[in-house]
Each structure stands twice: as C-alpha cells, then as structure tokens.
Amino acid sequence: MIEGGAEALSAGLDAEQIGELARTSKVPYDPAVTLRVAATLASLGVPPKQTVDLMEAMMQAGRTPNDLLSLPTQVQEGVARGKTPAQAARGLGRGAEHAPWAHGSELPPGQTKTKTNPHKP
C-alpha cells in the first residue's frame, strides 16, 4: 500500500485524498490497487478530486475490482476520441460509460427530443 500511496502522491493526489481512498477501500478492494489506479488516472490528467470521487463512486456502487482496473483504459479511449481526461472520466462511476447517450450524441432508446410542457395535459 505504501508504494501505491507514493505513486498517488507523485501523480498529484494529496495526503488527505490518499487517506480517504485507503479508508474507503474495504474488501473486496485492495487499498494498494485502488491507490495505483487513482495514481494512473491522475497521471493521465484526470484532476485529483475527480479521481477520488470516481474511485469512491465505483466502490460505493459495488463495481468489481476489475471495473476499477479498467478505468485508465476507458479514460485513454475517451482521450483518443478527442476528449480531455476529465471529460473522458466523467460518468464512468455511474456505469453509463458504454451508453451512447452518456456522451450527448444520442438519446436513450424510446426517448425523443420533443419538448413537453409539464403544466399542460
């Protein structure tokens, strides 16, 4: 865990953020792995606060450790499509990263772009 913490510090997370992630990392999440993933995300350019928020959201949602490990790849894929690291990381913790409408390009199935007035029947 010390190495993961050192990597996270080098990547721009502060001691408080590292401690927060370590405390949040309960079984099945290994704190050392959580910190290394966070360090990788921050190294890719995801802002430290957003990195911590994303990691915590993933763990609180009960996502698998493998889901956490896939985050850097997902961010890199978003960057390859022209997004900033922060944009690429946005929404990943909610599990919406694979939905085309999560990126503003399409609407969910069954949805239309018609505007309705909630005050009219």
Side-chain angles (χ1 to χ4, degrees):
M1 186 169 95
I2 293 172
E3 289 177 18
E7 288 178 31
L9 273 174
S10 295
L13 276 71
D14 63 33
E16 184 177 319
Q17 291 168 323
I18 292 167
E20 186 176 331
L21 278 176
R23 285 187 298 278
T24 306
S25 300
K26 306 279 190 241
V27 173
Y29 309 106
D30 180 342
V33 173
T34 301
L35 291 171
R36 284 198 167 146
V37 171
T40 303
L41 290 171
S43 293
L44 290 171
V46 178
K49 181 180 180 340
Q50 185 180 7
T51 294
V52 172
D53 291 347
L54 173 58
M55 298 296 293
E56 288 180 340
M58 294 285 287
M59 289 184 279
Q60 290 170 357
R63 302 295 293 270
T64 69
N66 283 337
D67 289 338
L68 268 64
L69 290 169
S70 73
L71 288 173
T73 300
Q74 293 176 47
V75 169
Q76 288 176 318
E77 289 170 354
V79 170
R81 290 190 305 269
K83 296 181 178 186
T84 67
Q87 291 169 333
R90 195 171 296 128
L92 294 180
R94 293 188 300 271
E97 66 272 18
H98 300 295
W101 59 86
H103 308 291
S105 60
E106 297 178 22
L107 292 172
Q111 299 291 315
T112 63
K113 289 187 179 185
T114 59
K115 292 185 180 184
T116 60
N117 185 340
H119 302 290
K120 290 185 178 181

